[in-house]
Amino acid sequence: MRLPEAAAATLHAGGAVIASSPRAARALQRFYGEAQREAGHTAWQAAEIIDWDSWLERMWQQALRSGAESRLMLSTLQEHEVWMRIAAPSIEGRRLISIEGVAELAQDAYRLLCAYDSLAFLHSTALGPDADTFCEWARGFERECRAQGWFSRAQLPLILCDVVMQGKMTRGFPSRLMLIGFDRETPAQQKLLAALQERNCSVERFESEMPPAPLEPLVVAKDTRDEIAICAQWVRRALEVAAAGN
């Protein structure tokens, strides 16, 4: 495979390529290096190819250096400890309930609310016992974070969006971005990207030109034994095809 021409054009224009995962970013960096060697170069400047989470981290560091922000971003473990401390009084003494497990579930639920820009949900009422308890914990979590100058990493896209929209950070992001490998974008991601576009940052999405894979025909099995036999036959044919093609 080769580096997509659209991505190469973005890099040549001084922009950045944002990959959906660290693995995708490493693959794109490798393709970029191979393209440079094919062009006869023996040394070249590192390309601005980075995964989404690392890019958020870089923007946050820039926000700190510029004085736009001064809060402490909690690590996953630190945040888990805060959730445990908040949830413990409600469930201590219940033998079949793990404080660690419940705190992890609450932390995951809060992360999803941030990703979908739905923190207003926490101020809903009469949702049911479990949801009301979670909302109470989450409001307590936010109160403690405000008092201590902390915030959850799950909030980072939303916080950076506010920083960008308020004009507190005029540097730290390129004038051109290309996103690669994103099957979908969460509302929080979309909100941050829209804020960057408001600040004259061009945002493009790379769409693969490869045709979609053909759909496999559906197979109906009479029972579990028949399903296992059909799966075994499918595996055997796949192995035979692989062996024939070495």
mmCIF file of all heavy atoms in Angstrom, residues 4-21:
data_model
loop_
_atom_site.group_PDB
_atom_site.id
_atom_site.type_symbol
_atom_site.label_atom_id
_atom_site.label_comp_id
_atom_site.label_asym_id
_atom_site.label_seq_id
_atom_site.Cartn_x
_atom_site.Cartn_y
_atom_site.Cartn_z
ATOM 1 N N PRO A 4 -1.952 7.709 0.731
ATOM 2 C CA PRO A 4 -2.939 8.329 -0.168
ATOM 3 C C PRO A 4 -2.452 9.679 -0.675
ATOM 4 O O PRO A 4 -1.833 10.452 0.066
ATOM 5 C CB PRO A 4 -4.176 8.473 0.726
ATOM 6 C CG PRO A 4 -4.014 7.424 1.780
ATOM 7 C CD PRO A 4 -2.544 7.321 2.026
ATOM 8 N N GLU A 5 -2.715 9.953 -1.940
ATOM 9 C CA GLU A 5 -2.258 11.211 -2.534
ATOM 10 C C GLU A 5 -2.830 12.418 -1.810
ATOM 11 O O GLU A 5 -2.158 13.438 -1.643
ATOM 12 C CB GLU A 5 -2.654 11.254 -4.014
ATOM 13 C CG GLU A 5 -1.901 10.241 -4.870
ATOM 14 C CD GLU A 5 -2.254 10.372 -6.340
ATOM 15 O OE1 GLU A 5 -2.990 11.338 -6.674
ATOM 16 O OE2 GLU A 5 -1.811 9.536 -7.139
ATOM 17 N N ALA A 6 -4.079 12.314 -1.348
ATOM 18 C CA ALA A 6 -4.695 13.433 -0.634
ATOM 19 C C ALA A 6 -3.956 13.713 0.669
ATOM 20 O O ALA A 6 -3.761 14.868 1.059
ATOM 21 C CB ALA A 6 -6.164 13.124 -0.353
ATOM 22 N N ALA A 7 -3.513 12.640 1.352
ATOM 23 C CA ALA A 7 -2.763 12.820 2.601
ATOM 24 C C ALA A 7 -1.397 13.436 2.312
ATOM 25 O O ALA A 7 -0.934 14.318 3.048
ATOM 26 C CB ALA A 7 -2.603 11.483 3.310
ATOM 27 N N ALA A 8 -0.758 12.976 1.237
ATOM 28 C CA ALA A 8 0.542 13.537 0.867
ATOM 29 C C ALA A 8 0.417 15.022 0.543
ATOM 30 O O ALA A 8 1.287 15.825 0.914
ATOM 31 C CB ALA A 8 1.120 12.771 -0.323
ATOM 32 N N ALA A 9 -0.667 15.408 -0.124
ATOM 33 C CA ALA A 9 -0.876 16.814 -0.454
ATOM 34 C C ALA A 9 -1.078 17.650 0.805
ATOM 35 O O ALA A 9 -0.581 18.772 0.910
ATOM 36 C CB ALA A 9 -2.079 16.959 -1.377
ATOM 37 N N THR A 10 -1.787 17.095 1.782
ATOM 38 C CA THR A 10 -2.000 17.807 3.053
ATOM 39 C C THR A 10 -0.678 18.029 3.767
ATOM 40 O O THR A 10 -0.401 19.131 4.270
ATOM 41 C CB THR A 10 -2.958 17.004 3.955
ATOM 42 O OG1 THR A 10 -4.231 16.921 3.325
ATOM 43 C CG2 THR A 10 -3.113 17.673 5.313
ATOM 44 N N LEU A 11 0.158 17.001 3.804
ATOM 45 C CA LEU A 11 1.459 17.126 4.468
ATOM 46 C C LEU A 11 2.348 18.123 3.727
ATOM 47 O O LEU A 11 3.064 18.915 4.350
ATOM 48 C CB LEU A 11 2.134 15.750 4.541
ATOM 49 C CG LEU A 11 1.419 14.706 5.411
ATOM 50 C CD1 LEU A 11 2.069 13.343 5.243
ATOM 51 C CD2 LEU A 11 1.445 15.123 6.875
ATOM 52 N N HIS A 12 2.316 18.082 2.399
ATOM 53 C CA HIS A 12 3.137 18.992 1.602
ATOM 54 C C HIS A 12 2.733 20.448 1.839
ATOM 55 O O HIS A 12 3.570 21.358 1.777
ATOM 56 C CB HIS A 12 3.003 18.639 0.119
ATOM 57 C CG HIS A 12 3.844 19.504 -0.781
ATOM 58 N ND1 HIS A 12 5.232 19.395 -0.843
ATOM 59 C CD2 HIS A 12 3.504 20.508 -1.650
ATOM 60 C CE1 HIS A 12 5.704 20.278 -1.693
ATOM 61 N NE2 HIS A 12 4.683 20.973 -2.200
ATOM 62 N N ALA A 13 1.448 20.660 2.127
ATOM 63 C CA ALA A 13 0.947 22.019 2.363
ATOM 64 C C ALA A 13 1.175 22.471 3.802
ATOM 65 O O ALA A 13 0.734 23.560 4.177
ATOM 66 C CB ALA A 13 -0.534 22.088 2.026
ATOM 67 N N GLY A 14 1.864 21.641 4.591
ATOM 68 C CA GLY A 14 2.140 22.015 5.977
ATOM 69 C C GLY A 14 1.051 21.636 6.949
ATOM 70 O O GLY A 14 1.047 22.088 8.101
ATOM 71 N N GLY A 15 0.121 20.806 6.503
ATOM 72 C CA GLY A 15 -0.963 20.371 7.368
ATOM 73 C C GLY A 15 -0.601 19.124 8.152
ATOM 74 O O GLY A 15 0.542 18.655 8.144
ATOM 75 N N ALA A 16 -1.597 18.583 8.836
ATOM 76 C CA ALA A 16 -1.395 17.389 9.658
ATOM 77 C C ALA A 16 -2.406 16.331 9.257
ATOM 78 O O ALA A 16 -3.538 16.636 8.878
ATOM 79 C CB ALA A 16 -1.543 17.718 11.136
ATOM 80 N N VAL A 17 -1.980 15.084 9.340
ATOM 81 C CA VAL A 17 -2.862 13.942 9.088
ATOM 82 C C VAL A 17 -3.174 13.304 10.432
ATOM 83 O O VAL A 17 -2.262 12.920 11.180
ATOM 84 C CB VAL A 17 -2.193 12.926 8.143
ATOM 85 C CG1 VAL A 17 -3.026 11.653 8.050
ATOM 86 C CG2 VAL A 17 -2.012 13.534 6.758
ATOM 87 N N ILE A 18 -4.455 13.201 10.762
ATOM 88 C CA ILE A 18 -4.895 12.636 12.037
ATOM 89 C C ILE A 18 -5.499 11.264 11.765
ATOM 90 O O ILE A 18 -6.483 11.143 11.030
ATOM 91 C CB ILE A 18 -5.943 13.535 12.721
ATOM 92 C CG1 ILE A 18 -5.478 14.994 12.752
ATOM 93 C CG2 ILE A 18 -6.238 13.024 14.123
ATOM 94 C CD1 ILE A 18 -4.219 15.233 13.520
ATOM 95 N N ALA A 19 -4.876 10.240 12.347
ATOM 96 C CA ALA A 19 -5.359 8.872 12.168
ATOM 97 C C ALA A 19 -6.262 8.487 13.330
ATOM 98 O O ALA A 19 -6.186 9.050 14.424
ATOM 99 C CB ALA A 19 -4.178 7.901 12.070
ATOM 100 N N SER A 20 -7.107 7.505 13.096
ATOM 101 C CA SER A 20 -8.085 7.112 14.107
ATOM 102 C C SER A 20 -7.468 6.323 15.254
ATOM 103 O O SER A 20 -8.063 6.225 16.329
ATOM 104 C CB SER A 20 -9.192 6.278 13.458
ATOM 105 O OG SER A 20 -8.632 5.131 12.821
ATOM 106 N N SER A 21 -6.291 5.753 15.055
ATOM 107 C CA SER A 21 -5.663 4.931 16.093
ATOM 108 C C SER A 21 -4.145 5.012 15.969
ATOM 109 O O SER A 21 -3.620 5.364 14.901
ATOM 110 C CB SER A 21 -6.104 3.469 15.947
ATOM 111 O OG SER A 21 -5.566 2.908 14.753
#
